[in-house]
């Protein structure tokens, strides 16, 4: 668990101060809310109570009729000031006038689309992430939405899993910081504020550990790993006050997550004292039947509600079966009442009873897709880009004197800049890399060739046997929106265009539809003939900068060896092209860092930095942990990312001895040893040498962004109120312990670096 005070380190305090901004109606006190809940509950019929626990997809139902009858507590997928107002007015005609909670997947922006979540996590900048979600909340609520199914806080160690794009990567500490920041951003200081959105931490829990990276697949997670790796971001979200959680699809240790009493009730409600509600994932109550733990929907409904799933998304199981379950005494009324209380509590906290309609067409026009919102998206996109390679300082490129060619199927494709789950984002709002570069270079002509067209990429993936839903082409796939289109989308043409240039910027990657739900991959290579395109352009001898757009690390072994400069851009959102151009030409300095270890090849997966030691740690001889035919090291480690300057780390200081209840303070000096003012992400890792259970080789316990001028150095401090906050682990009986003994500590630029190192003793007697 991440104890509350853990987030009150010197680093976190600044973020908290920045979030308390909006003036809002006074929230009701908890006592007032509890009184109103009980008064309402007393008046409710069985049917009305059940109604509160039912959520339907507004697209597939006669929403207004159901709302008037009080048979539904929530809808998803109804958006827009007019539509949501009409639906809320229908709900207000029901007997008890209980408003509906309107939910929508606002995953990385509503209309102003931000980088995909894995990209914004790469910023290691919770403050900017919070600001981005504030923008998303302002836009979504302007469109009448009051609840987002975000943040997705699933830890993912397997990039074959398409939904790695929706989370914050592999690390529980980074994941917790970002989770809390997103919750603060969505919910603001007061949930009843018309600009605040109820958040939903999902998918509880273990969904990201799907076997083989296959979506919806089972996960087996030992209890200590669950508690130390997969649960912390959820706990952080709960501590940040998240209103709701979503239960996951997968089977977790033999009990599907949507019927898992241990996680939903023992941990979430009892240990963490969560008092909001849990919604099932889409149809996941019914899916207890194909999971094989329920014989029919009636049993499924009973199991899910009893385990702690209060609201049933989409499948109608609660609607159809709860009444009978109560009447036959299989489901106690007290269980039902407790579920209803939790749903009503969030509706009260969200201010829906006092102000059910909080927007209109005028506000929507005013608040959505504003220049100020786009500016935040551009800043977030800049910080999300990770510079992976920059041989001989090829980057930044000069703004004049060199003829630039921009080549690749993603170079001028608007839709694919946005990524998966794009809310009400529109392709036409997006700035492509070609447009961004063209705008940056003013009058100078920019050459362009697609090399391969987007549709052929999507088809190539289908032919190569991608499982699950075939990735859909996501919009603009053809004509150049800017620059000079110089011929057909063939490799031959691209090579000719490259030959006319001094420098080639290649924008390659996955079509956006290849990431996200039901988008697992068995191969992580560049889809279609992109690798061939890259090789033939590199063979011209022109210097090449590769900009990769993808929702996951791809297999780029060839590129890493042969291409001098590589930027991982994820899907940067509507300001993609501007952010990329800012970085390419040095108007911004890269500061993104990898939130996941980047595998060399699929065979290494899972490869993550915070693994346990083995009895035979990796060594160059055969009888140690490793492969005969592949290195054990990832291509790029967790936390890695280059800058246009360099930094050095020294002088780590830490008290030689500390007790678990005493403060832990670590200090180190970081210096900018290069020529550019730039921001570094300074990372703190610890390692316990000996304890009752095998330790992880390193664990991230802090990070801070530091901006330094050339030559400037600064002392960076990490302060924890009690060392136990950083060092606690679980013994074999799952009791939290802080083992006595020696601990190593590093202040470093990434998980594999040596940087500044030291050690200290923990004494418990
Ligand atoms: C996804 C959820 C999403 C829900 C509602 C499901 O398929 O797993 O993450 O929130 O649909 O759209």
């Amino acid at each position: 668990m991440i104890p509350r005070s853990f987030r009150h380190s010197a680093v976190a305090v600044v973020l908290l101060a920045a979030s308390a901004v909006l003036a809002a109606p006074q929230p009701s006190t908890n006592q007032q809310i509890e009184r109103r809940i009980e008064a309402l509950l007393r008046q409710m019929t069985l049917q009305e109570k059940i109604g509160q626990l039912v959520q339907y997809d507004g697209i597939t139902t006669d929403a207004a009729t159901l709302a008037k009858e009080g048979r539904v507590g929530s809808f998803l997928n109804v958006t827009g000031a007019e539509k949501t107002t009409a639906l809320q007015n229908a709900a207000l005609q029901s007997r008890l006038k209980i408003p509906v909670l309107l939910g929508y997947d606002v995953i990385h922006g509503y209309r102003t689309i931000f980088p995909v979540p894995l990209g914004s996590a790469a910023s290691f900048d919770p403050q900017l992430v919070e600001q981005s979600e504030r923008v998303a909340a302002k836009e979504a609520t302007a469109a009448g939405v009051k609840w987002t199914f975000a943040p997705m806080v699933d830890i993912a160690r397997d990039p074959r899993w398409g939904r790695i794009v929706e989370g914050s990567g592999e690390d529980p500490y980074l994941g917790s910081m970002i989770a809390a920041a997103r919750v603060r951003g969505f919910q603001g200081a007061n949930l009843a504020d018309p600009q605040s959105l109820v958040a939903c931490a999902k998918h509880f829990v273990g969904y990201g550990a799907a076997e083989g990276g296959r979506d919806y697949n089972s996960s087996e997670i030992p209890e200590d790993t669950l508690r130390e790796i997969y649960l912390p971001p959820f706990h952080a979200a709960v501590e940040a006050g998240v209103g709701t959680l979503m239960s996951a699809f997968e089977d977790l240790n033999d009990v599907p997550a949507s019927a898992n009493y241990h996680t939903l009730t023992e941990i979430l409600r009892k240990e963490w004292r969560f008092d909001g509600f849990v919604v099932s994932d889409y149809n996941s109550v019914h899916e207890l039947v194909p999971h094989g733990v329920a014989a029919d929907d009636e049993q499924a409904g009973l199991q899910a509600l009893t385990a702690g799933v209060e609201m049933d998304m989409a499948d109608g199981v609660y609607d159809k079966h709860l009444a009978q379950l109560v009447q036959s005494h299989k489901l106690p009324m007290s269980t039902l009442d407790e579920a209803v209380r939790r749903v009503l509590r969030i509706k009260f906290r969200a201010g829906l009873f006092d102000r059910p309609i909080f927007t209109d067409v005028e506000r929507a026009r005013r608040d959505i897709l504003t220049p100020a919102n786009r500016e935040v998206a551009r800043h977030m996109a800049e910080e999300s880009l990770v510079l992976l390679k920059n041989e001989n300082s090829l980057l930044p490129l000069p703004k004049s004197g060199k003829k630039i060619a921009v080549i690749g199927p993603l170079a001028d494709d608007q839709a694919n800049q946005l990524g998966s789950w794009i809310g009400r984002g529109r392709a036409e709002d997006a700035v492509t890399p070609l447009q961004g570069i063209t705008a940056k270079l003013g009058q100078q002509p920019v050459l362009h060739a697609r090399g391969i067209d987007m549709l052929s990429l999507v088809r190539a993936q289908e032919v190569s046997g991608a499982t699950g839903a075939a990735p859909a082409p996501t919009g603009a796939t053809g004509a150049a929106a800017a620059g000079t289109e110089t011929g057909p989308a063939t490799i031959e043409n691209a090579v000719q265009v490259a030959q006319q240039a001094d420098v080639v910027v290649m924008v390659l990657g996955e079509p956006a539809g290849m990431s996200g739900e039901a988008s697992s991959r068995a191969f992580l290579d560049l889809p279609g003939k992109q690798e061939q395109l890259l090789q033939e352009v590199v063979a011209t001898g022109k210097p090449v900068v590769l900009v990769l757009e993808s929702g996951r690390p791809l297999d780029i072994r060839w590129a890493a060896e042969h291409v001098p400069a590589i930027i991982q851009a994820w899907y940067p959102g509507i300001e993609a092209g501007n952010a990329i151009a800012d970085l390419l030409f040095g108007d911004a300095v890269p500061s993104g860092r990898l939130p996941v270890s980047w595998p060399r090849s699929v065979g290494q997966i899972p490869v993550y930095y915070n693994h346990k030691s083995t009895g035979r740690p990796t060594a160059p001889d055969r009888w140690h942990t490793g492969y005969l035919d592949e290195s054990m090291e990832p291509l790029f480690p967790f936390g890695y990312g280059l800058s246009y300057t360099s930094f050095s780390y020294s002088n780590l200081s830490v008290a030689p001895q500390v007790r678990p209840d005493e403060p832990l303070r670590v200090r180190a000096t970081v210096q900018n040893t290069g020529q550019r003012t730039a921001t570094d992400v300074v990372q703190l890792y610890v390692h316990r040498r000996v304890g009752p259970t095998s330790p992880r080789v390193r664990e991230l316990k802090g990070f801070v962004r530091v901006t330094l001028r050339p030559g400037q150095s600064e002392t960076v401090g990490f302060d924890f109120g009690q060392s136990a906050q950083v060092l606690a682990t679980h013994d074999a009986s799952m009791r939290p312990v802080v083992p006595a003994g020696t601990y190593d500590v590093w202040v470093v630029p990434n998980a594999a670096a040596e940087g500044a190192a030291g050690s200290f003793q923990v004494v418990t007697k």
Side-chain angles (χ1 to χ4, degrees), residues 400-405 441 444-447 497-498 500-504:
S400 60
K402 296 252 188 235
K403 196 179 275 180
I404 310 270
L441 297 185
Q444 301 170 65
V446 175
L447 304 174
V497 169
Q500 298 160 39
D502 299 312
V503 179
V504 182

Side-chain angles (χ1 to χ4, degrees), residues 76 105 149 163 202-203 246 249 281-282 313 421 517:
L76 73 154
D105 289 281
F149 305 119
R163 302 197 80 171
K202 72 186 188 185
H203 306 80
M246 185 184 292
F249 286 126
D281 203 346
Y282 209 104
M313 184 189 282
W421 287 118
E517 190 174 346

Side-chain angles (χ1 to χ4, degrees), residues 290-481:
H291 263 299
V293 298
D296 52 29
D297 276 353
E298 186 182 301
Q299 271 189 19
L302 179 62
Q303 285 184 18
L305 189 63
T306 308
V309 174
E310 283 90 13
M311 187 180 279
D312 174 17
M313 184 189 282
D315 57 27
V317 170
Y318 285 6
D319 188 16
K320 292 189 193 78
H321 298 286
L322 290 193
Q324 167 63 21
L325 282 165
V326 172
Q327 279 148 7
S328 61
H329 304 291
K330 287 185 192 149
L331 178 69
M333 187 62 99
S334 58
T335 305
L336 187 72
D337 282 351
E338 177 54 20
V340 176
R341 255 183 217 113
R342 286 168 176 267
V343 172
L344 293 177
R345 185 174 293 133
I346 295 306
K347 289 187 177 182
F348 275 113
R349 282 188 191 157
L352 286 174
F353 284 92
D354 304 317
R355 197 169 177 179
I357 291 159
F358 44 82
T359 187
D360 53 33
V361 175
E362 191 38 49
R363 182 186 152 198
R365 218 172 276 134
R366 207 174 51 236
D367 283 358
I368 295 177
L369 199 68
T370 64
N373 293 358
R374 290 196 74 125
E375 199 47 45
V376 182
R378 179 170 180 162
H379 189 189
M380 188 76 261
E382 272 170 17
E383 287 197 5
S384 73
L385 304 176
V386 184
L387 180 62
L388 295 176
K389 188 177 173 193
N390 193 17
E391 215 167 69
N392 301 323
S393 300
L394 175 59
L395 294 175
L397 300 172
K399 282 186 196 149
S400 60
K402 296 252 188 235
K403 196 179 275 180
I404 310 270
V406 184
I407 292 178
L410 287 156
D412 198 28
D413 182 296
Q414 288 179 292
N416 281 289
Q417 305 308 313
L418 302 179
S420 58
W421 287 118
I422 55 167
R424 295 292 178 214
R426 295 185 195 168
E428 74 231 37
D429 299 335
V431 179
T432 67
L434 177 62
Q435 288 172 327
I437 292 167
T438 308
K440 177 79 65 193
L441 297 185
Q443 300 306 311
Q444 301 170 65
V446 175
L447 304 174
H448 171 53
R450 279 176 285 153
I452 292 171
D453 75 39
M454 188 58 65
L455 275 177
S456 81
L457 287 193
V458 172
R459 276 194 219 109
Q461 202 49 38
E462 284 168 24
V463 180
S464 80
T467 52
T474 45
T477 51

